[in-house]
Amino acid sequence: MKSVLSLSLIFIFSLFFSQDFEWGKPSQEEIELKSVPFEPTADAVTLKEYGELKIDYVGYELEEHIRIKILSPNGFSSAQKKWSYNSSNRFDKVIFREAQTINIVDGKTVITPIDKKDILVYNQSNDIEELAIAFPNIKVGSIIEYKVKIIRPYNIYYSAWYFQNALPTLSSKLKLKSASGTYTLIFPTPKLGKKYIGKNKLREWELNNVPSYNTYTKIYNISDNVERITFQYTSAKSFYGTYYSESTWQGFKNLINSKKEKSVEDLDFREYANKIQTGKNKFETLKNCLKFLRDNYKWDKYYATSTDRLKSNFLRTKTGNTADFNIFLQGILREKKINSQLAVNSLRSNGRIIVGYTVLSKLQTLVTIVSLDKEEKTMVDAAISKPEDGHFLSRNYFNHLVFGLDNISDNFIEVSPNLSEYVSQQELDIRNDSLNLKIRDQFKGYFELSSYKEQAFIKEPVVKITEGDKKELEEWKINYRTVNLENPNSSFLTIENPFVEKIKELTVEKDRDYPVELDFPFLKTIQLKVKIPEDYILNTDNFKETISVFDGKLQYAQSVGYKENNEAVITWSLLINQIIFQPKEINQYIDFTNKLSNTVSKIAVLKKK
């Protein structure tokens, strides 16, 4: 749930840092705490943290008072704190106030204050310095406490306070002491949004019993979900006419399109398009265009949404950012009569687009969505996409939504990596003292031979694996191998479900309240042929199973069939064709994974008659 509170405040001076909890006096409950009830494996815990915040046109000032307890030897690293700052910028500072270690010895409080030797300042690089504190006299049960003032020159937008961090937190509280200008207060995460929606007159916010962000699983970027408050100025300040002054998506689109049009003035794309061979279909033509770019231009390693004039910069120097490459590719494709659309995207490593807030949407780079034959579309980054992988852009680019730059009403486009496929055909030869398994693996897309090779799912000791031929057939890669296994028990043979580990990977916690984000969509099919010896019988009671949810986007099936010569064919197939599941969809997703887990018990058994 998101809540946006527009506030216009007058700057108020505050001279003192109000104390929310008493320095050096932990409560009896804090002293006796041995573990965190809602995160029992935690090695340390933030008992209390309190911040007082001032924001103005330059940036912000934050006074922090933090109290942490060490719960195990693995938590000793939490007794070391570091802050970085730019020493050449007077608006970027870290001011150490005081710090101490508290131990309880024979029922008495023993306080060890920080000594000067425990405070170090390092030169990291250029003007970047790091202030480091090592707390003394640390043992299991120690409580560390410190106060620090942080001054930051982040004058566009910022998340000055995180209620959720690397340690579980019992109490986190922020107080806004003063602010200047007109700004928007944003709660981009569920707990704060739910707690404070509609409460626009509050100047204090608090969360209790917050788990660490280490508890997040199956999520592209942890920062997307960390509980925090974000301030964004709604006035242009000194950024009039730039991206930072835009408060609407339409204004943002108009600005980037205007700069794009200026960048291609006096540029004849036909001259370059004529140098590229037109393929037998649109995809082949796209591959030729990408090869032309790879052969003649170099990416400067910068992600960008805008560019200078292509003719006098990119084409002259033959080096450019992602915006240069993708604008140039679109111009060439237009000459090749291939429709395409530029879109603004964010990398998974940078965080997902937040639809409600333009500046805060983590927009990072341009990509090109290309319309191919039979209504197929593929998304490429002209700066890095390889010609042979035109259907499969790096997974780091996909964030469920991109912002298209065409002049249409709804520019948010749902995107997903193309479907990757894996087919493993296996033949089992049963002998008196051994088992021989011939395997033909066929795969395309994000499946890679070294990473996604299926091992034999017959749980007998492996004697030898012999790698065979490797081939390529259009987009498919094919690999042959033979697996020799022992057969210590000749009376029966258990054939287990080959998706046991994959089902474990898909499973999420039942009380999850944040999105599920899977790696990429895929279809995996494994087929086992086995010639049943005359004195054996194949038991597959209640083996057949079919599961389908989300309109068939998630499917699982297993079956067994029989051919002549007493040959059985067992097939398992798993389709995951949706990779983002919003909180409202998670119950249905969990129901699917639960049903999958139940199928694991439905094994096939070969046993003597």
Side-chain angles (χ1 to χ4, degrees):
M1 185 178 296
K2 302 185 182 74
S3 173
V4 180
L5 310 175
S6 294
L7 308 173
S8 181
L9 301 177
I10 299 175
F11 186 85
I12 302 172
F13 287 95
S14 178
L15 299 177
F16 301 101
F17 179 33
S18 298
Q19 190 71 43
D20 188 63
F21 54 97
E22 194 170 357
W23 175 257
K25 294 186 177 181
S27 68
Q28 191 62 33
E29 290 80 6
E30 292 173 332
I31 292 172
E32 294 176 355
L33 183 71
K34 297 293 190 297
S35 65
V36 182
F38 55 88
E39 197 170 329
T41 60
D43 297 308
V45 58
T46 299
L47 300 171
K48 288 183 179 180
E49 57 180 13
Y50 174 71
E52 289 189 354
L53 179 67
K54 299 176 185 179
I55 59 176
D56 57 27
Y57 288 115
V58 175
Y60 71 81
E61 294 184 8
L62 178 66
E63 295 270 8
E64 292 184 346
H65 179 186
I66 313 291
R67 180 180 289 166
I68 295 171
K69 184 169 187 178
I70 308 302
L71 300 176
S72 79
N74 290 333
F76 289 169
S77 59
S78 296
Q80 300 175 12
K81 297 298 172 185
K82 297 178 181 180
W83 299 267
S84 296
Y85 56 93
N86 188 334
S87 60
S88 66
N89 188 330
R90 65 188 180 93
F91 296 112
D92 192 4
K93 295 180 181 178
V94 176
I95 302 173
F96 172 72
R97 298 294 200 199
E98 54 185 327
Q100 61 188 12
T101 302
I102 303 171
N103 287 299
I104 306 300
V105 181
D106 297 329
K108 296 181 180 181
T109 300
V110 177
I111 294 179
T112 308
I114 285 285
D115 192 85
K116 287 184 178 181
K117 64 180 176 61
D118 300 315
I119 304 172
L120 301 174
V121 176
Y122 299 95
N123 288 318
Q124 295 294 93
S125 60
N126 297 326
D127 296 319
I128 302 301
E129 291 185 350
E130 182 179 85
L131 173 66
I133 299 176
F135 285 81
N137 199 18
I138 293 298
K139 61 187 71 175
V140 173
S142 294
I143 294 174
I144 65 171
E145 195 168 20
Y146 62 91
K147 292 181 182 179
V148 66
K149 182 177 182 179
I150 299 173
I151 303 173
R152 296 298 189 198
Y154 300 157
N155 47 13
I156 308 303
Y157 65 88
Y158 37 76
S159 295
W161 186 263
Y162 289 83
F163 294 82
Q164 190 171 28
N165 296 283
L167 300 179
T169 303
L170 300 187
S171 174
S172 179
K173 184 176 181 180
L174 175 67
K175 182 176 182 178
L176 180 63
K177 294 291 291 185
S178 59
S180 60
T182 302
Y183 66 89
T184 298
L185 180 62
I186 300 167
F187 300 108
T189 47
K191 290 182 180 179
L192 282 165
K194 184 177 181 180
K195 184 174 181 178
Y196 291 107
I197 185 170
K199 300 177 181 179
N200 58 344
K201 293 184 179 181
L202 291 180
R203 298 296 179 269
E204 292 185 6
W205 306 272
E206 183 176 11
L207 281 183
N208 297 316
N209 298 331
V210 185
S212 70
Y213 55 57
N214 298 317
T215 59
Y216 287 121
T217 60
K218 296 173 183 64
I219 203 78
Y220 296 150
N221 194 301
I222 289 176
S223 67
D224 283 333
N225 300 278
V226 171
E227 294 289 340
R228 65 195 185 277
I229 288 179
T230 301
F231 299 89
Q232 176 181 325
Y233 276 103
T234 54
S235 53
K237 300 192 294 179
S238 59
F239 299 94
Y240 183 79
T242 70
Y243 295 135
Y244 302 119
S245 67
E246 295 297 340
S247 58
T248 67
W249 284 107
Q250 184 63 42
F252 183 86
K253 180 177 64 176
N254 292 343
L255 183 60
I256 197 170
N257 277 333
S258 174
K259 291 189 175 184
K260 185 197 78 169
E261 292 305 317
K262 288 182 180 179
S263 74
V264 298
E265 286 179 351
D266 303 323
L267 178 54
D268 183 6
F269 284 102
R270 186 180 302 117
E271 172 189 350
Y272 297 91
N274 289 339
K275 298 178 181 179
I276 302 170
Q277 183 177 358
T278 300
K280 60 183 178 182
N281 54 45
K282 292 180 179 178
F283 182 64
E284 188 173 288
T285 301
L286 172 63
K287 290 171 64 176
N288 293 341
C289 292
L290 293 174
K291 187 176 187 306
F292 175 80
L293 289 170
R294 294 287 78 73
D295 291 343
N296 295 280
Y297 302 92
K298 183 180 179 180
W299 179 39
D300 62 10
K301 307 300 182 182
Y302 283 96
Y303 297 97
T305 58
S306 63
T307 179
D308 294 323
R309 293 182 181 273
L310 292 183
K311 188 173 183 179
S312 57
N313 290 284
F314 176 64
L315 296 176
R316 181 180 61 83
T317 64
K318 296 186 180 298
T319 302
N321 60 35
T322 53
D324 295 324
F325 274 86
N326 285 283
I327 292 171
F328 188 56
L329 174 63
Q330 188 190 41
I332 293 174
L333 293 176
R334 187 182 299 116
E335 294 296 327
K336 294 289 188 180
K337 310 300 181 185
I338 297 177
N339 292 327
S340 64
Q341 176 180 189
L342 291 177
V344 184
N345 197 4
S346 177
L347 304 184
R348 288 182 180 179
S349 57
N350 191 49
R352 72 173 73 96
I353 289 177
I354 305 174
V355 175
Y357 322 112
T358 52
V359 173
L360 288 176
S361 296
K362 302 181 180 179
L363 302 182
Q364 191 169 11
T365 187
L366 285 188
V367 292
T368 308
I369 300 175
V370 186
S371 299
L372 301 175
D373 299 304
K374 299 179 181 180
E375 299 184 354
E376 179 190 4
K377 291 185 177 181
T378 190
M379 186 164 65
V380 299
D381 184 340
I384 70 161
S385 289
K386 298 178 181 178
E388 62 272 20
D389 296 329
H391 282 309
F392 299 95
L393 179 59
S394 167
R395 286 170 284 169
N396 191 30
Y397 280 69
F398 296 95
N399 271 286
H400 187 52
L401 288 176
V402 298
F403 180 63
L405 296 178
D406 279 1
N407 291 314
I408 56 178
S409 57
D410 185 7
N411 282 87
F412 287 102
I413 305 168
E414 289 193 17
V415 296
S416 175
N418 289 297
L419 187 71
S420 296
E421 295 183 60
Y422 178 98
V423 179
S424 184
Q425 296 173 313
Q426 308 186 10
E427 294 185 15
L428 179 63
D429 180 20
I430 302 175
R431 301 178 183 179
N432 290 332
D433 58 350
S434 65
L435 305 169
N436 290 328
L437 195 62
K438 294 181 179 179
I439 302 175
R440 179 187 186 273
D441 291 328
Q442 178 174 316
F443 52 93
K444 67 178 180 179
Y446 296 108
F447 288 120
E448 298 176 0
L449 184 60
S450 59
S451 301
Y452 291 96
K453 185 189 300 180
E454 290 290 346
Q455 298 300 320
F457 46 88
I458 298 171
K459 302 304 179 183
E460 304 294 351
V462 175
V463 176
K464 182 181 180 182
I465 298 178
T466 304
E467 297 292 343
D469 295 337
K470 296 179 182 179
K471 299 179 180 179
E472 293 190 15
L473 180 63
E474 295 181 349
E475 291 185 307
W476 292 92
K477 293 182 180 179
I478 302 171
N479 176 51
Y480 296 88
R481 56 200 166 102
T482 301
V483 180
N484 302 114
L485 306 102
E486 293 182 4
N487 187 15
N489 191 333
S490 59
S491 62
F492 69 90
L493 176 67
T494 300
I495 302 173
E496 298 187 3
N497 191 309
F499 291 120
V500 170
E501 294 303 317
K502 177 56 65 175
I503 292 170
K504 291 179 182 177
E505 291 176 16
L506 296 173
T507 302
V508 300
E509 60 274 28
K510 63 180 180 180
D511 58 346
R512 187 181 181 112
D513 60 358
Y514 60 98
V516 173
E517 297 172 341
L518 303 180
D519 203 10
F520 57 84
F522 65 85
L523 172 61
K524 296 183 74 171
T525 301
I526 299 175
Q527 187 179 80
L528 175 68
K529 294 180 181 180
V530 54
K531 179 74 174 297
I532 303 174
E534 291 183 358
D535 56 343
Y536 276 78
I537 186 172
L538 179 63
N539 188 344
T540 55
D541 293 343
N542 301 315
F543 184 80
K544 186 176 180 180
E545 183 76 48
T546 301
I547 309 169
S548 179
V549 297
F550 291 105
D551 296 323
K553 292 179 181 177
L554 302 188
Q555 293 185 43
Y556 174 80
Q558 63 181 42
S559 62
V560 60
Y562 295 90
K563 295 184 176 183
E564 296 179 358
N565 301 322
N566 207 27
E567 184 179 66
V569 180
I570 305 173
T571 305
W572 300 264
S573 183
L574 177 62
L575 171 67
I576 304 293
N577 206 15
Q578 178 177 330
I579 57 173
I580 307 291
F581 300 89
Q582 301 302 335
K584 64 181 180 181
E585 300 175 304
I586 289 178
N587 284 340
Q588 189 176 3
Y589 174 85
I590 291 176
D591 182 61
F592 174 74
T593 57
N594 286 341
K595 290 178 179 178
L596 276 181
S597 297
N598 291 334
T599 65
V600 174
S601 61
K602 297 182 178 181
I603 58 178
V605 179
L606 266 171
K607 58 184 179 180
K608 284 194 173 183
K609 296 178 181 178

